[in-house]
Amino acid sequence: MFVLAQQLLNGLLLGSMYALLAISYTLVLGVLDMLNLAQGEILTAGALTACSVLRGTGSLPLALGAAVLTGAVLSLLVEYFCFRLPRGDTQVVTTIAMGMVLQNVCTEIWGSEPLKFPRLEWGFRLSLGPLSLNGGQIVLLALTAAMMLLLSAVIDRSRFGRQIRAMASSTKAARVAGVDIRAATVKTFALSGLIAGVAGVMAGIEFTSITPFIGGAVGEKAMAAMVIGGAGSALGAGAAGLILGVAEILCVGYLGAQYREIIIFPLLILFLCLRPSGLFRKGRVDRA
């Protein structure tokens, strides 16, 4: 029972990263009805930037701030070059090309070899009965909880959140109601990139070593979580990300590490067959 409880906790820690990246996907999808397929590479850039800052300063807050800034700036570049400039139905394809560009830029800057994420001296450990959490795991849980609460407050209680919900329901109706569509879209992309930057820091802490190529695998799982949760639902994306993280860790613990990369997609197919609309109703950006 103790081993199972610890595995569930580890799964929640991994799933929290998938959850945040899935929410960053679904924010753009809910507003524009389009996917930003460069989101995984934005996470990678945030993780690598945080790694460099940590190596230079040893400060996690500075590393987190640098990752958030990197994610927001890159997301705004994607919005401009992939969604605002192109015409027709080429935007999603353009994000694939942008993802390749970002991956190559990261390879040129940091190299293709695995980069060890600095191991910080956390200096504390929390015991909860039979369960034990080290400092890094506590930071991951705190980051996840803080981001979920912040997103919930932004989407539910702020003027910007009301604009997002209005645009998700109907862009035309939102424009008639006085919503500045362009400004709201830019803010949505910035928020999406900010979340991806935080998820990048979490990826570095969770995986301990990172490469410019981690974004593809993490992004695929986050997109699976978005679909399982219900495309357009931030709450569903977050819940599904946690579910997938737990499923992956249990698979590693009881079936073997060689199965961790294939368990996600049978689950996706199962959900698509049994509940194609996802855990939560599609087509609306719900509360995180």
Short mmCIF file of all heavy atoms in Angstrom, two decimals, residues 65 89 91 103 111 128 137 172 247 261 270 274-275:
data_model
loop_
_atom_site.label_atom_id
_atom_site.label_comp_id
_atom_site.label_asym_id
_atom_site.label_seq_id
_atom_site.Cartn_x
_atom_site.Cartn_y
_atom_site.Cartn_z
N GLY A 65 11.67 33.24 -13.31
CA GLY A 65 11.34 34.48 -14.00
C GLY A 65 11.87 34.50 -15.42
O GLY A 65 11.18 34.95 -16.35
N ASP A 89 -5.71 28.84 -44.33
CA ASP A 89 -5.71 27.80 -43.31
C ASP A 89 -4.32 27.25 -43.05
O ASP A 89 -4.14 26.06 -42.78
CB ASP A 89 -6.65 26.66 -43.73
CG ASP A 89 -8.08 27.12 -43.89
OD1 ASP A 89 -8.51 27.97 -43.09
OD2 ASP A 89 -8.76 26.63 -44.82
N GLN A 91 -2.12 28.45 -40.68
CA GLN A 91 -1.56 28.83 -39.38
C GLN A 91 -1.01 27.65 -38.60
O GLN A 91 0.11 27.71 -38.06
CB GLN A 91 -2.60 29.57 -38.53
CG GLN A 91 -2.91 30.98 -39.01
CD GLN A 91 -4.12 31.02 -39.92
OE1 GLN A 91 -4.45 30.03 -40.58
NE2 GLN A 91 -4.80 32.15 -39.95
N GLN A 103 13.51 24.59 -32.11
CA GLN A 103 14.32 23.43 -31.73
C GLN A 103 15.75 23.58 -32.24
O GLN A 103 16.71 23.30 -31.51
CB GLN A 103 13.68 22.15 -32.28
CG GLN A 103 14.37 20.87 -31.83
CD GLN A 103 13.70 19.64 -32.41
OE1 GLN A 103 14.10 19.15 -33.46
NE2 GLN A 103 12.68 19.14 -31.74
N GLY A 111 23.46 23.04 -27.55
CA GLY A 111 23.98 21.76 -28.01
C GLY A 111 22.92 20.67 -27.95
O GLY A 111 21.84 20.86 -27.39
N LEU A 128 4.74 12.74 5.36
CA LEU A 128 3.30 12.69 5.59
C LEU A 128 2.91 11.24 5.84
O LEU A 128 2.50 10.53 4.92
CB LEU A 128 2.53 13.26 4.40
CG LEU A 128 2.85 14.71 4.00
CD1 LEU A 128 2.19 15.05 2.68
CD2 LEU A 128 2.41 15.66 5.10
N GLN A 137 10.22 18.09 -4.93
CA GLN A 137 8.83 17.69 -5.13
C GLN A 137 7.87 18.70 -4.49
O GLN A 137 6.81 18.99 -5.04
CB GLN A 137 8.61 16.30 -4.54
CG GLN A 137 9.33 15.20 -5.30
CD GLN A 137 9.26 13.86 -4.61
OE1 GLN A 137 9.31 13.78 -3.39
NE2 GLN A 137 9.16 12.79 -5.39
N LYS A 172 -17.46 36.90 -32.90
CA LYS A 172 -18.30 37.99 -33.43
C LYS A 172 -19.10 38.66 -32.32
O LYS A 172 -19.18 39.89 -32.25
CB LYS A 172 -19.23 37.45 -34.51
CG LYS A 172 -18.51 37.01 -35.78
CD LYS A 172 -19.50 36.54 -36.82
CE LYS A 172 -18.78 36.11 -38.11
NZ LYS A 172 -19.74 35.62 -39.14
N ALA A 247 -1.12 7.51 -14.60
CA ALA A 247 -1.12 6.31 -15.43
C ALA A 247 0.29 5.96 -15.89
O ALA A 247 0.68 4.78 -15.90
CB ALA A 247 -2.04 6.51 -16.64
N GLU A 261 6.03 5.14 -22.69
CA GLU A 261 5.75 6.00 -23.82
C GLU A 261 4.54 5.56 -24.64
O GLU A 261 4.07 6.29 -25.51
CB GLU A 261 6.97 6.08 -24.74
CG GLU A 261 8.21 6.66 -24.09
CD GLU A 261 8.02 8.08 -23.60
OE1 GLU A 261 7.18 8.81 -24.19
OE2 GLU A 261 8.68 8.47 -22.62
N LEU A 270 -9.14 5.08 -25.96
CA LEU A 270 -10.25 4.63 -25.13
C LEU A 270 -11.21 5.76 -24.81
O LEU A 270 -12.44 5.62 -24.92
CB LEU A 270 -9.70 4.01 -23.83
CG LEU A 270 -10.73 3.46 -22.85
CD1 LEU A 270 -11.48 2.29 -23.46
CD2 LEU A 270 -10.03 3.03 -21.55
N LEU A 274 -15.14 6.06 -25.83
CA LEU A 274 -16.17 6.03 -24.81
C LEU A 274 -16.75 7.41 -24.50
O LEU A 274 -17.93 7.53 -24.16
CB LEU A 274 -15.60 5.42 -23.51
CG LEU A 274 -15.11 3.97 -23.62
CD1 LEU A 274 -14.56 3.50 -22.28
CD2 LEU A 274 -16.23 3.05 -24.09
N ARG A 275 -15.90 8.44 -24.58
CA ARG A 275 -16.36 9.80 -24.26
C ARG A 275 -15.66 10.78 -25.19
O ARG A 275 -14.73 11.49 -24.78
CB ARG A 275 -16.11 10.12 -22.79
CG ARG A 275 -16.80 11.39 -22.30
CD ARG A 275 -16.60 11.59 -20.82
NE ARG A 275 -17.18 12.84 -20.38
CZ ARG A 275 -18.46 13.03 -20.04
NH1 ARG A 275 -19.30 12.00 -20.12
NH2 ARG A 275 -18.90 14.20 -19.63
#
